[in-house]
Amino acid sequence: RSVVFTTLNYERAYLIVLDYLLNQDKAIGSPFSVSKRENIFFSSTIKPCIFRTLSQSGIVSDQLEELAKIFRGEKYMLTYDKNVGISVILRYGADGSDILRSLLALGKLERSLKSFGLPRSQYISHTEPGFELMKRSKSNITWNNVLESTKRAQRDARKEFGSFLGEIREHGWNVNKFMFGNIDRRTEWEYKL
């Protein structure tokens, strides 16, 4: 027997994102199947500390301008810095649906960065912001690679989000309410034409 929750928190949301991305048929785990895999007593697959402010993300102003174009109209932004890893930057006013969409884009960006030979510890920080990741790999990844991967992840997440949400609902998940908690790390940015 296990406790089965139908409301998405970080762990459950990220597990169904991984299901969606890893399964060819886009099958998403039901609340019952995900509850068997959820880490209740141990460290989560994804931690809220991945949500950072722009200053915590390590990106510079030129990169911010390019990313602001990609994420124009969104209430989140994904960034990558070799010393910090991937960061999810939320705007003020971002709600649970925006956070879920950012996790879908995050999963897509992770897969893309993995294709460049980066180990997961290189692009996902499981430490609090400001702490250096333990091991660094030698990778040929360039800012242009990161930018193209980010564009693709954002475009695909935007295009697929409606069907992803429908799939989640169909498998018994509550999409009217989320348990993402209060994320205080919020930022505003502008896109200049």
Side-chain angles (χ1 to χ4, degrees):
R1 292 182 116 169
S2 62
V3 176
V4 178
F5 295 100
T6 60
T7 303
L8 295 172
N9 63 6
Y10 296 110
E11 180 81 6
R12 290 177 219 126
Y14 200 66
L15 287 171
I16 63 172
V17 164
L18 292 177
D19 286 349
Y20 181 78
L21 295 175
L22 295 175
N23 295 316
Q24 297 273 342
D25 60 357
K26 304 292 189 218
I28 292 174
S30 67
F32 181 74
S33 68
V34 168
S35 71
K36 291 179 179 181
R37 298 181 348 226
E38 182 180 7
N39 291 323
I40 295 175
F41 299 111
F42 302 106
S43 183
S44 175
T45 303
I46 187 166
K47 298 199 186 253
C49 68
I50 194 150
F51 296 95
R52 299 182 176 96
T53 63
L54 284 170
S55 60
Q56 293 169 328
S57 73
I59 63 167
V60 296
S61 61
D62 292 348
Q63 295 168 335
L64 176 59
E65 287 180 32
E66 292 176 287
L67 290 168
K69 290 176 190 175
I70 295 170
F71 292 93
R72 181 179 53 215
E74 292 289 354
K75 292 186 180 177
Y76 75 93
M77 176 187 297
L78 300 179
T79 67
Y80 171 79
D81 176 79
K82 67 181 180 176
N83 294 317
V84 177
I86 298 176
S87 298
V88 178
I89 315 298
L90 295 177
R91 282 183 185 263
Y92 291 100
D95 61 18
S97 179
D98 298 309
I99 293 170
L100 185 59
R101 189 168 42 252
S102 76
L103 293 176
L104 178 60
L106 171 68
K108 290 178 172 293
L109 182 56
E110 279 188 320
R111 288 183 73 187
S112 184
L113 293 180
K114 184 178 179 183
S115 72
F116 289 103
L118 290 174
R120 191 166 199 266
S121 63
Q122 177 82 29
Y123 51 82
I124 292 293
S125 170
H126 284 279
T127 60
E128 285 299 321
F131 284 80
E132 185 90 15
L133 295 177
M134 296 299 282
K135 295 182 179 178
R136 296 281 168 217
S137 68
K138 306 268 185 206
S139 174
N140 300 359
I141 195 163
T142 66
W143 172 246
N144 286 335
N145 298 139
V146 171
L147 198 59
E148 286 306 311
S149 295
T150 304
K151 281 181 192 175
R152 198 169 32 257
Q154 166 59 10
R155 182 191 63 227
D156 293 349
R158 183 180 286 169
K159 185 172 76 174
E160 295 173 23
F161 188 68
S163 61
F164 175 66
L165 206 55
E167 188 86 14
I168 292 170
R169 188 178 293 118
E170 193 175 298
H171 280 83
W173 292 101
N174 178 358
V175 296
N176 298 320
K177 184 178 179 182
F178 301 94
M179 292 176 47
F180 293 134
N182 186 17
I183 301 171
D184 293 332
R185 298 174 180 132
R186 305 278 178 138
T187 305
E188 282 300 325
W189 63 86
E190 289 184 28
Y191 169 71
K192 297 178 184 174
L193 296 174

